[in-house]
Amino acid sequence: MKRTAAAFAAIFLFVAPDAFADTIKVVSSGGFAAAYKELIPEFEKRTGNKVISEWGPSMGTTKDAVPQRLARHEDIDVLIMVGYALDKLIADKAVIADTRMPLAQSGIGIVIKEGAPAPDVSTPEALKKALLAAKSVAYSDSASGVYIEKEMFDKLGVKAEMANKAKMIPAVPVGSVVASGEYEIGFQQVSELKPIKGIKLIGQVPGDLQKITVFSAGVVEGSQHVAAARALIDFLADPANASTIRDSGMEPLGKASAK
């Protein structure tokens, strides 16, 4: 009898890590993607949990945008997205309020095709001249692009001139359409531009024109894996991961900002 009990205990110990592991589905915006991709394998290794990762903008009407996914009632556990857009989802009771965690912030970068002559973008006046001289301009369909379209062009006094040559790019990284030569100048979060080959980062939006975007994480209401989802968010915010976040072109926030 004792031998049988011991055998069952041994079997239990052997299967326990897998038997109780969770599968967590995460939808992240591109802004935090580079750091996230570096960090997730370590989280899976430490916890035994499996993470399914998908990508989509924090706002907008494209198929993969977070609001559209939630409207389709996709089974999602964790969202990583623009902070103010996450706050709206919390207000709408779509995300659990006390799970909100700011992870990082990023400025808007400016890129050209690798090998192309680099215009001066170091001051607002220089950036204005570069935009007026450019044949085409691209910007993202998320927070940075909304700001550029609705505010920055106005501040520079070039809104009318940009109407026919500047375009919001849905669903794909802005860097990719600049690398292909389709657009001459591109704007997007620095962290989203850094991984793209074939482009050159010539600077960031200068001075008071810059718009810093905060990326935060939260657990979706109705998640069946709340404890594991919280653990994932805590891991991403861990101070030990601050250097990975910085290397991706972002500045760590929350717990990670302590290191």
Side-chain angles (χ1 to χ4, degrees):
M1 192 75 174
K2 287 181 181 177
R3 207 175 299 163
T4 303
F8 274 119
I11 292 170
F12 176 80
L13 289 172
F14 178 76
V15 302
D18 288 336
F20 292 101
D22 279 309
T23 297
I24 312 162
K25 182 175 176 181
V26 179
V27 175
S28 175
S29 72
F32 195 72
Y36 173 90
K37 289 175 182 177
E38 287 289 320
L39 294 171
I40 286 303
E42 179 61 23
F43 173 79
E44 291 181 318
K45 180 180 175 182
R46 288 189 193 182
T47 64
N49 293 332
K50 178 178 174 56
V51 180
I52 297 171
S53 305
E54 295 188 6
W55 316 100
S58 302
M59 56 200 73
T61 58
T62 57
K63 177 176 69 73
D64 291 332
V66 168
Q68 307 309 313
R69 289 174 179 271
L70 294 178
R72 293 194 299 268
H73 304 290
E74 283 192 23
D75 186 13
I76 302 169
D77 298 297
V78 175
L79 294 172
I80 302 172
M81 57 192 291
V82 171
Y84 69 77
L86 185 74
D87 290 342
K88 183 178 185 306
L89 295 179
I90 290 172
D92 292 341
K93 308 297 184 186
V95 171
I96 301 171
D98 70 357
T99 65
R100 180 187 181 279
M101 176 73 72
L103 298 176
Q105 64 183 25
S106 176
I108 304 169
I110 309 169
V111 293
I112 57 171
K113 183 177 173 65
E114 195 171 49
D120 180 11
V121 294
S122 60
T123 65
E125 189 57 37
L127 177 58
K128 178 178 180 177
K129 287 176 65 177
L131 288 172
L132 291 174
K135 293 178 181 176
S136 55
V137 177
Y139 49 94
S140 80
D141 66 343
S142 196
S144 62
V146 171
Y147 164 71
I148 286 166
E149 182 179 87
K150 304 294 185 185
E151 298 182 50
M152 193 188 82
F153 289 157
D154 247 345
K155 290 177 180 179
L156 285 172
V158 298
K159 189 166 187 176
E161 291 86 349
M162 292 298 107
N164 293 321
K165 65 178 179 180
K167 185 178 178 183
M168 182 176 281
I169 306 300
V172 300
V174 168
S176 66
V177 298
V178 174
S180 71
E182 189 178 350
Y183 289 86
E184 193 173 325
I185 293 179
F187 293 86
Q188 198 163 19
Q189 303 295 334
V190 172
S191 56
E192 295 184 73
L193 294 168
K194 283 188 74 173
I196 306 297
K197 298 188 183 304
I199 58 174
K200 180 180 180 182
L201 182 67
I202 58 172
Q204 296 193 33
V205 170
D208 293 342
L209 288 177
Q210 179 63 269
K211 177 81 168 181
I212 300 298
T213 299
V214 172
F215 293 87
S216 299
V219 179
V220 177
E221 287 280 1
S223 167
Q224 300 301 302
H225 310 285
V226 173
R230 285 179 181 270
L232 172 59
I233 293 172
D234 284 342
F235 172 79
L236 294 173
D238 193 307
N241 295 323
S243 61
T244 300
I245 293 172
R246 287 195 182 95
D247 288 346
S248 76
M250 308 187 84
E251 187 60 28
L253 295 174
K255 298 176 185 178
S257 65
K259 187 169 180 177

